[in-house]
């Protein structure tokens, strides 16, 4: 069977890291997130379709270097077609039943168990559900005792939310769902298609699971997921190959070819590849992009440094985002100036 990863979108809330890379390529424990997700698919999935648009070439390059043991199809939309339109656009690659997966979620979901749940219920569509407090950032389901979903609202006001169970971003669909999606236009799966499945088939089910569910929508959750998975593995740090560390690394992940000087402390942070950090530096709760140079006596806390930046001696960078290069052409929401606060 197939799995489609919805992997388009600019990931604007993860800028400046997404000025220079597609969101699915952000490293999770030093591995591009999309590879992490593909490796956790059940064995039933033998074909993976990546529904992409922004920075497609980077995604192609990533797969040209990595064999995941499954057929990979990179399907570029001519323009973003939305979560439903992207699935329709992949129709020719799809069989009778397939997964649709958001590519910005890391969770403990057992997709094999979800298939069994779907089969037991003879469902037309099954979506994963997860309980949260802040429902208004998500799609919210109204669920009956038998697991049947009877209503769905995308990003409701808290008072209009039918429950605290949100769409956790993994769908298992029968191919008849494709008939509800119009070709060649922007279609939202959540707003336009889910309500039709409910009213036309009555066989829309919600699959709840235990463990963890982390939405990598923002820098804060991106840092959190890395630390969470590090802990899950019983590790305090990961240091990539060809790195040379003289300082202290605590609860952090360092990419390849990272140099860390004496008396430097890196805590609860993620450092990308090819970064050089001099002596007497402190970095906490921060992300440092590729090819950065951090000079002596710098203090960085709760900050994001975009790729290719140099931070000069003695600077204090707290609660902010550094990006001093032009914003890439076509990237949404233009910023004025070159240092962007969050
Ligand atoms: N190919 C393609 N084309 N992918 C897209 C497009 C598009 O036009 N638009 C969005 N995506 C991808 C995103 O990259 C992401 O993986 C997924 O579709 C969902 O889009 P987001 O933009 O991340 O949506 P969201 O986080 O606001 O809400 C969605 O996810 C929540 C769970 O995190 C909805 O599905 C909610 O209902 C859900 O609760
Ligand atoms: Mg999202």
């Amino acid at each position: 069977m197939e799995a489609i990863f919805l992997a388009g979108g600019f990931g604007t809330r993860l800028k400046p890291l997404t000025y220079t890379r597609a969101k699915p390529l952000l490293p999770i424990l030093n591995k591009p997130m999309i590879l992490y997700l593909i490796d956790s698919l059940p064995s039933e999935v033998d074909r993976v379709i990546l529904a992409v648009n922004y920075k497609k070439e980077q995604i192609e390059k990533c797969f040209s270097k990595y064999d995941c043991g499954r057929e990979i199809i990179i399907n570029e939309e001519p323009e973003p077609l939305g979560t439903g339109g992207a699935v329709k656009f992949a129709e020719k690659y799809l069989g009778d039943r397939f997964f649709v997966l958001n590519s910005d979620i890391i969770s403990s979901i057992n997709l094999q168990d979800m298939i069994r749940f779907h089969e037991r219920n003879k469902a037309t569509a099954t979506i994963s559900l997860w309980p949260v407090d802040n429902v208004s950032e998500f799609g919210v389901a109204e669920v009956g005792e038998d697991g049947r979903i009877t209503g769905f609202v995308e990003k409701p006001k808290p008072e209009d939310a039918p429950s605290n169970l949100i769409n956790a971003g993994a769908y298992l669909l029968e191919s008849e769902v494709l008939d509800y999606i119009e070709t060649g236009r922007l279609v939202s799966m959540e707003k336009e298609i889910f309500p039709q499945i409910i009213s036309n088939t009555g066989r829309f089910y919600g699959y709840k699971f235990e463990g963890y569910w982390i939405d990598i929508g923002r820098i804060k959750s991106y840092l959190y997921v890395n630390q969470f998975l590090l802990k899950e593995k019983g590790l305090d740090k990961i240091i990539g190959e060809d790195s040379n560390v003289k300082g202290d690394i605590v609860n952090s992940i360092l990419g390849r070819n990272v140099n860390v000087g004496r008396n430097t402390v890196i805590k609860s942070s993620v450092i990308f590849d090819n970064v050089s950090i001099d002596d007497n530096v402190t970095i906490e709760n921060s992300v440092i992009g590729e090819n950065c140079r951090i000079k002596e006596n710098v203090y960085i806390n709760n900050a994001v440094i975009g790729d290719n930046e140099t931070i000069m001696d003695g600077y204090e960078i707290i609660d902010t985002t550094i990006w001093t290069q032009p914003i890439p052409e076509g990237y949404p929401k233009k910023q004025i100036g070159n240092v962007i606060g969050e």
Side-chain angles (χ1 to χ4, degrees), residues 93-246:
Y93 301 116
L94 299 171
D96 296 341
R97 179 185 292 163
F98 52 88
F99 280 110
V100 176
L101 303 160
N102 286 3
S103 53
D104 56 358
I105 305 290
I106 300 280
S107 80
S108 56
I109 191 168
N110 180 335
L111 295 175
Q112 221 143 23
D113 195 48
M114 185 171 171
I115 297 175
R116 287 193 288 271
F117 175 90
H118 181 87
E119 284 174 346
R120 256 196 325 272
N121 290 309
K122 298 191 170 48
T124 302
T126 300
I127 68 169
S128 57
L129 297 175
W130 183 258
V132 300
D133 296 330
N134 54 331
V135 283
S136 42
E137 291 180 24
F138 303 101
V140 187
E142 184 178 317
V143 194
E145 289 279 296
D146 56 354
R148 204 184 286 242
I149 297 178
T150 49
F152 187 88
V153 241
E154 183 64 18
K155 314 227 164 74
K157 288 193 196 126
E159 60 272 25
D160 297 334
S163 75
N164 70 336
L165 289 171
I166 61 137
N167 164 17
Y171 319 144
L172 183 53
L173 307 179
E174 296 297 306
S175 58
E176 63 179 276
V177 169
L178 293 166
D179 299 338
Y180 300 126
I181 313 174
E182 245 179 82
T183 306
R185 73 163 176 94
L186 190 105
V187 180
S188 160
M189 186 70 102
E190 300 86 339
K191 290 185 191 153
E192 299 175 65
I193 307 306
F194 288 174
Q196 287 190 64
I197 302 173
I198 295 170
S199 58
N200 295 3
T201 75
R203 305 214 73 83
F204 192 42
Y205 282 83
Y207 172 75
K208 296 182 223 164
F209 61 98
E210 305 275 307
Y212 56 88
W213 181 85
I214 307 166
D215 175 6
I216 326 286
R218 294 163 198 275
I219 298 283
K220 211 173 171 175
S221 54
Y222 171 68
L223 263 177
Y224 174 75
V225 79
N226 274 286
Q227 283 155 21
F228 176 86
L229 294 174
L230 199 59
K231 209 164 161 197
E232 279 270 298
K233 283 186 172 286
L235 297 173
D236 180 47
K237 57 177 161 268
I238 293 180
I239 296 178
E241 53 192 59
D242 301 324
S243 292
N244 180 5
V245 175
K246 300 201 178 85

Side-chain angles (χ1 to χ4, degrees), residues 17 244 254 257-266 269-284 286-301 303-318 320-324:
L17 304 174
N244 180 5
L254 272 52
N257 188 30
V258 174
N259 288 306
V260 178
R262 278 174 230 287
N263 295 322
T264 282
V265 179
I266 299 177
S269 295
V270 177
I271 316 292
F272 289 9
D273 295 345
N274 307 317
V275 171
S276 188
I277 304 168
D278 291 356
D279 297 346
N280 301 313
V281 170
T282 300
I283 299 176
E284 284 180 65
S286 297
V287 184
I288 312 291
E290 266 180 54
N291 307 317
C292 282
R293 169 86 195 271
I294 314 292
K295 295 201 175 177
E296 285 185 0
N297 302 311
V298 166
Y299 177 75
I300 299 177
N301 194 342
V304 184
I305 315 290
D307 291 351
N308 308 310
E309 296 287 352
T310 297
I311 307 296
M312 304 306 281
D313 295 24
Y315 266 76
E316 282 196 359
I317 298 179
I318 303 169
T320 193
T321 298
I322 301 294
W323 178 259
T324 63

